[in-house]
Amino acid sequence: MTRRTRELLCLFVLFHCTVKAAEEQIVEFSNESDVDPFAESLYTGNIPPFIKPLHYSIILKINMRDWLYSGRVHVLINITEPCDQIPIHSVGLNITDVFVATYVPKERGRRVPVIEVLEDKTEELLRIFPRRLLYEGVYQLFIDFKNVFVSDSFWGFYQSSWPDEKGWENKMVSTQFSPYWARHAWPCFDEPKFKATFKFFVEHESQYYALSNGAVESREPIRAGWIRTTFERTPDMSTYVTAMIITNYREIKGRSQSGTPVKLYGSYTKLQRSRKMLDTTIKSLDFLEDYFGVQYPMSKLDVVPVKRFGVAAMENWGLITAREDIANFDPLVHSAQWELQARVIMAHEVAHMWFGDLVTPHWWDNIILKESTVSWFMVFACDAIFDDFDFSDEYMVTYELIRGMDKDSSVNSRAAITNPEFQTEIMNMFDEITYQRGGNLFRMFYHIVGAESFRAAVHNYLIEKAYGTATMSDMTQYLQDATPEYDIKSLIERYTLQKNFPVVHVRMLNRTHVLVTQERFLFTNKEAVNDSPYNYTWHIPFTYTTDAERVDKVIILTERENIVELNKPATWIKANNDFRMYYITNYDLVGWKKLYHQLISDHTVFTTTDRIQLLSDLLKLVTADKLDITFPLQFLTYMKRETEFGPWKLATEHWHELMNKMSPAEKFAAKIYARDLIDEALKDVVQLNTSFNKPIKERLLQFILVDTGIAVDHPVADEFIDKLGNTSRNTLEEGTEPGIVYLQKLRKAQTNKNYWNELLETLPKLKDADEIMETYQILCDTNNVTALKELLESSLKGSEDTQQAVLDIISKTRPDIAWQFFRRNYDTYFEKYGDSLFTMSYILQTVTEQLNSNEMYSEVKSFFKTNKPGTGEPGLTAGLEQIAENIRWKKNHRHKCRNFFFTYARKHAKGKN
């Protein structure tokens, strides 16, 4: 018996227990035979469908000291058509041996000689050529490999190291495989449709713990200082949600109501105040398990913070990874704003355990089935867990819908379902169209279908598609079956297979009849073409509120022009209750004025979300040059009576954007207008205590109003900050909301040059990432051009988060400085972020979108003719569009805006006299 034969026999024995059930899972891969409007004739990867993995057994040997690892992948594959090669994804791996064998249950496999192994770098494949043709049947593929842990990227299998509180070096290796990076860690069939079971065997130093998707079966010593961790076999899953982490973190733990153990990891000091996120995870699991009516499929759920992480969080099945400031959220350090996001992000990842992990999109064109769905279910869960914020309406509109519509108002937008072929196209699917737009499409579907019918459709989808893949046509059919009274299929197709959205024009013909028309909404019609199979028409789900009634029962309007008869005679009408349908509304001037007078008379007639919608619709119509800017500015004066967070968030953000476009004289007049608007609300919120334990909506409202008060030199805000004394991060145990502490330090730095200099001197000595970020944010709030340039230079030596944050902050106040710095250091940024999932796009948009001249527009375009944007192409496109929009705004609205503020300031001065 040769050495290789003995080795093959040993491996067969070792892995037999992990693959013995595989023969029961051998199924032929079949394509849909029916015409699928969502996925017809689309590219779905470069592995032929007649080769399908059934089970992976993976042995890894981890060397943390030298950042090296080696391993063996043993894959059981089912071949349903004769083939002369086995293609498998592999990138950058040192392949040391490959062999193929037949598979017969309970018998020794027969080796099939391999005559050639080619590395296809273009397709990122390892092409394995056996000596003979492989006929239908089950085969075993063995691949030995070596690799190093990546140090300059957030993707694949990569390393992190950092000093702890005592200065000792901590080490971690972790994975981030979505969407196509598992192939960088070990050979695999790295496409979402190829689901298989996995079993990991990991050898590592004994001072570390290994974590993966499955629970630990055993930890056995193998030699001095080394152990082997064996994990339980997983259910069928896609490669992009497999995960491996080696760390020395500690844990806190709990259990779900159904008994699932849930652990949250982190350093000892971080875990002391991380209970909130553990509770959020467990409660999300409990709620979603009950709501879906489908038991959580894994035997445990871990949440692990990763020091160097390129996204907010990742839904690895049974092993969620997240940024440290999310997983180890600390109420004494992180603001109310960050707590709100941490809640939602954690619920988002837990929802993925069903949508994306249990049922997976067949290909990335149907990413809506995993990201858009959970962008709706995350707020469902948060509403069930927390009673201090309206997530389903106020959060979804304020944080998600408005942002998604801004992105979707461009001619360069895309349909929710778009087939990506190249890797950059796949990366670019993780954008506002998928998350913000897509989440609100499912919010709309929910309200059209109805709560119980929607829940039944979701339950049936998960049950019948469990452990498999799906397309949007599958989901559509379940929703249609649950809602026979509506042609929901035609409606869904129009909202997912064409880009943009409608503006619905509403005009009262008389007290009982309303004319409703629709047209495609774009910020600018320049370069717009009719490339839609539906001619950019939509089925409009119409709901409305009048002074006589509120009608939430949906009326589906299918024509370009429709007459709606009201149930009761009315004086005014507001369409699209709570902004639950994916369109904006425009009224004739008479209609807008009636709504304004109603707000002045009693704004509480409209829900908080309705008031947000009115403001958002007005601002979008101004951007599209469909309304004069002076009317929204007058409309905003109703805010003197506003007491809710959502409208104030939108109004203050808009005001800050306007301030960045104005001259010093114009800003002086605009501040008078803003001080007048916030006066009553500001006086109310400063009466509230500053505790981080009060309801989150109160904390959020207090922060944005005091922040705006400081920006407009309101004496009430200044007095409020001065009364707080010298609260600092070290005295937060007193219970002060961290956001308020930040505002105090900001105000002190603005008024005390010595304090600003002290912060600058302490910056290099700071170790805590959150404190570094906060200090940069305060220091960047200066008009000192030399100081801003120095801060940008110093940020390049800091963490990735610091580099992005400093660019972002300075871009908003001095975009010319930020752009020129970025341009000079482009190679550095591209080397770090050129292949990142979100970051390059975010940076390119950040450093360009505040520029506002034809010269700068030409300069940016010219620069990127010779410099590749990498995955930042969408951000560059959005930035250029925004520059053009800024130029157009200056031409069409700036003088009107200036005249309005000057007139308002004069009237205000006369009123005081």
Side-chain angles (χ1 to χ4, degrees), residues 43 92 95 165 240 295 316 362 559 566 632 654 736 861 903:
Y43 177 88
I95 305 299
E165 295 82 358
Y240 79 90
Q295 186 175 359
N316 310 301
H362 190 71
E559 304 298 325
L566 305 180
H654 177 63
T736 304
K861 287 204 75 170
T903 302

Side-chain angles (χ1 to χ4, degrees), residues 14-78:
L14 173 63
F15 289 115
H16 183 70
C17 63
T18 70
V19 298
K20 62 182 179 181
E23 61 269 19
E24 301 172 9
Q25 303 177 34
I26 299 173
V27 292
E28 291 197 9
F29 184 94
S30 61
N31 289 317
E32 300 272 351
S33 58
D34 297 330
V35 174
D36 181 355
F38 296 96
E40 186 180 9
S41 301
L42 297 181
Y43 177 88
T44 59
N46 57 6
I47 300 286
F50 51 81
I51 299 176
K52 185 179 185 301
L54 300 174
H55 174 76
Y56 294 82
S57 289
I58 301 176
I59 295 178
L60 298 173
K61 296 180 180 179
I62 308 294
N63 180 347
M64 299 283 280
R65 188 184 306 272
D66 300 317
W67 299 119
L68 302 172
Y69 71 102
S70 60
R72 166 166 286 175
V73 171
H74 172 206
V75 196
L76 200 64
I77 57 176
N78 186 32

Side-chain angles (χ1 to χ4, degrees), residues 493-551:
E493 287 177 7
R494 282 162 173 78
Y495 278 96
T496 58
L497 294 177
Q498 58 183 351
K499 61 186 178 183
N500 307 130
F501 56 89
V503 51
V504 174
H505 300 279
V506 176
R507 181 164 66 91
M508 293 191 73
L509 300 175
N510 52 48
R511 296 194 66 197
T512 56
H513 291 81
V514 179
L515 175 65
V516 181
T517 61
Q518 63 164 292
E519 66 172 314
R520 179 188 184 188
F521 181 79
L522 292 168
F523 280 150
T524 173
N525 286 318
K526 187 179 179 181
E527 300 178 0
V529 295
N530 188 351
D531 53 357
S532 164
Y534 306 100
N535 296 314
Y536 288 107
T537 60
W538 290 264
H539 289 183
I540 305 298
F542 193 73
T543 59
Y544 63 89
T545 298
T546 70
D547 51 317
E549 62 178 337
R550 175 183 169 111
V551 176

Side-chain angles (χ1 to χ4, degrees), residues 72 423 494 511 560 565 568 626 657 711 721 760 778 861 871:
R72 166 166 286 175
Q423 289 191 352
R494 282 162 173 78
R511 296 194 66 197
R560 285 189 182 271
E565 183 176 359
K568 298 178 181 179
K626 294 184 181 293
E657 288 175 8
I721 291 297
L760 183 62
I778 292 169
K861 287 204 75 170
T871 55

Side-chain angles (χ1 to χ4, degrees), residues 671 675 678-679 682-683 685-686 702-703 705-725 740 743-751:
K671 285 182 178 182
R675 283 199 296 268
I678 70 170
D679 187 65
L682 178 60
K683 288 175 180 176
V685 299
V686 297
Q702 186 179 59
F703 176 83
L705 287 173
V706 174
D707 183 33
T708 303
I710 291 172
V712 302
D713 306 319
H714 198 297
V716 171
D718 293 342
E719 183 182 353
F720 172 74
I721 291 297
D722 291 341
K723 281 183 178 179
L724 290 178
I740 297 300
L743 291 179
Q744 186 193 14
K745 294 169 80 172
L746 174 66
R747 184 60 176 166
K748 189 174 179 180
Q750 290 172 341
T751 57

Side-chain angles (χ1 to χ4, degrees), residues 410-666:
S410 163
V411 292
N412 293 309
S413 182
R414 63 170 179 83
I417 297 177
T418 305
N419 186 52
E421 180 173 350
F422 302 108
Q423 289 191 352
T424 52
E425 294 173 344
I426 294 172
M427 295 284 261
N428 291 338
M429 295 290 284
F430 293 84
D431 63 357
E432 294 93 336
I433 299 302
T434 292
Y435 290 92
Q436 282 75 32
R437 179 195 186 194
N440 276 282
L441 288 181
F442 275 93
R443 176 173 175 254
M444 175 173 70
F445 302 156
Y446 169 86
H447 286 291
I448 295 172
V449 171
E452 292 306 314
S453 296
F454 186 85
R455 185 177 185 180
V458 164
H459 171 78
N460 292 336
Y461 169 87
L462 290 173
I463 289 292
E464 295 178 24
K465 294 293 180 178
Y467 304 105
T469 63
T471 67
M472 188 58 194
S473 60
D474 297 318
M475 174 63 79
T476 300
Q477 191 59 55
Y478 285 106
L479 292 172
Q480 184 64 76
D481 292 344
T483 325
E485 64 269 29
Y486 291 133
D487 181 8
I488 194 74
K489 181 176 182 293
S490 295
L491 182 144
I492 291 174
E493 287 177 7
R494 282 162 173 78
Y495 278 96
T496 58
L497 294 177
Q498 58 183 351
K499 61 186 178 183
N500 307 130
F501 56 89
V503 51
V504 174
H505 300 279
V506 176
R507 181 164 66 91
M508 293 191 73
L509 300 175
N510 52 48
R511 296 194 66 197
T512 56
H513 291 81
V514 179
L515 175 65
V516 181
T517 61
Q518 63 164 292
E519 66 172 314
R520 179 188 184 188
F521 181 79
L522 292 168
F523 280 150
T524 173
N525 286 318
K526 187 179 179 181
E527 300 178 0
V529 295
N530 188 351
D531 53 357
S532 164
Y534 306 100
N535 296 314
Y536 288 107
T537 60
W538 290 264
H539 289 183
I540 305 298
F542 193 73
T543 59
Y544 63 89
T545 298
T546 70
D547 51 317
E549 62 178 337
R550 175 183 169 111
V551 176
D552 286 318
K553 183 173 175 56
V554 175
I555 306 166
I556 304 293
L557 306 178
T558 59
E559 304 298 325
R560 285 189 182 271
E561 295 190 1
N562 305 268
I563 302 293
V564 175
E565 183 176 359
L566 305 180
N567 296 328
K568 298 178 181 179
T571 303
W572 55 259
I573 185 171
K574 184 220 157 277
N576 194 359
N577 292 343
D578 285 313
F579 214 170
R580 288 171 173 168
M581 308 304 163
Y582 193 71
Y583 57 85
I584 67 169
T585 311
N586 190 15
Y587 307 89
D588 60 0
L589 192 56
V590 172
W592 275 117
K593 286 183 176 179
K594 287 180 179 179
L595 292 171
Y596 170 67
H597 289 306
Q598 178 59 62
L599 284 166
I600 293 294
S601 173
D602 180 7
H603 66 283
T604 62
V605 166
F606 304 105
T607 66
T608 300
T609 318
D610 278 336
R611 302 198 297 274
I612 300 168
Q613 180 198 0
L614 289 170
L615 297 180
S616 175
D617 287 353
L618 277 169
L619 296 174
K620 281 183 171 54
L621 291 165
V622 169
T623 303
D625 293 326
K626 294 184 181 293
L627 275 179
D628 190 308
I629 193 171
T630 55
F631 183 72
L633 291 173
Q634 183 63 41
F635 199 91
L636 280 166
T637 58
Y638 102 85
M639 297 287 292
K640 295 176 183 180
R641 298 167 177 79
E642 184 60 74
T643 59
E644 293 295 330
F645 167 72
W648 274 118
K649 181 178 185 295
L650 180 59
T652 54
E653 286 176 349
H654 177 63
W655 182 83
H656 284 294
E657 288 175 8
L658 284 180
M659 289 288 282
N660 289 334
K661 298 175 181 178
M662 295 181 184
S663 69
E666 292 164 344

Side-chain angles (χ1 to χ4, degrees), residues 167-382:
W168 295 97
E169 184 182 38
N170 279 322
K171 289 185 173 183
M172 166 189 278
V173 293
S174 56
T175 55
Q176 172 60 32
F177 290 160
S178 177
Y180 46 70
W181 291 84
R183 65 191 71 176
H184 292 251
W186 45 72
C188 57
F189 296 89
D190 198 16
E191 293 171 7
K193 63 177 175 286
F194 290 125
K195 303 184 82 169
T197 56
F198 289 80
K199 190 172 182 68
F200 288 97
F201 306 82
V202 186
E203 297 180 8
H204 57 88
E205 293 161 279
S206 57
Q207 68 264 40
Y208 296 102
Y209 288 89
L211 301 170
S212 189
N213 305 91
V216 172
E217 276 188 356
S218 64
R219 297 179 80 243
E220 301 171 336
I222 51 176
R223 60 182 178 275
W226 284 78
I227 61 172
R228 177 187 289 118
T229 300
T230 302
F231 294 92
E232 69 180 10
R233 180 187 181 128
T234 71
D236 282 314
M237 59 192 295
S238 301
T239 51
Y240 79 90
V241 291
T242 58
M244 180 62 61
I245 291 176
I246 313 295
T247 180
N248 58 3
Y249 277 153
R250 301 190 182 192
E251 67 188 51
I252 55 175
K253 55 189 176 182
R255 282 187 181 271
S256 71
Q257 291 178 356
S258 61
T260 301
V262 180
K263 296 179 181 179
L264 189 147
Y265 289 80
S267 66
Y268 176 78
T269 53
K270 298 281 186 183
L271 283 179
Q272 301 309 301
R273 295 194 292 262
S274 296
R275 178 62 60 175
K276 272 193 174 185
M277 278 301 101
L278 177 64
D279 291 344
T280 298
T281 305
I282 293 172
K283 290 175 180 177
S284 297
L285 195 63
D286 288 336
F287 170 77
L288 292 168
E289 194 170 45
D290 176 69
Y291 179 81
F292 295 144
V294 177
Q295 186 175 359
Y296 172 64
M298 304 296 278
S299 62
K300 56 88 179 176
L301 177 59
D302 295 332
V303 179
V304 182
V306 179
K307 277 286 183 179
R308 296 176 56 247
F309 209 50
V311 293
M314 176 62 203
E315 69 272 15
N316 310 301
W317 211 3
L319 178 57
I320 294 171
T321 46
R323 288 170 52 115
E324 189 176 46
D325 51 6
I326 294 170
N328 294 151
F329 169 81
D330 184 345
L332 296 183
V333 174
H334 302 118
S335 68
Q337 180 64 54
W338 194 244
E339 180 176 353
L340 188 74
Q341 296 302 321
R343 291 178 180 182
V344 170
I345 290 167
M346 193 55 64
H348 181 105
E349 302 310 320
V350 174
H352 267 309
M353 301 297 106
W354 288 268
F355 279 84
D357 295 0
L358 178 63
V359 182
T360 306
H362 190 71
W363 179 245
W364 297 108
D365 56 328
N366 281 276
I367 192 175
I368 187 173
L369 288 175
K370 81 179 193 76
E371 297 299 346
S372 303
T373 49
V374 302
S375 292
W376 172 234
F377 293 126
M378 69 185 185
V379 296
F380 248 43
C382 285

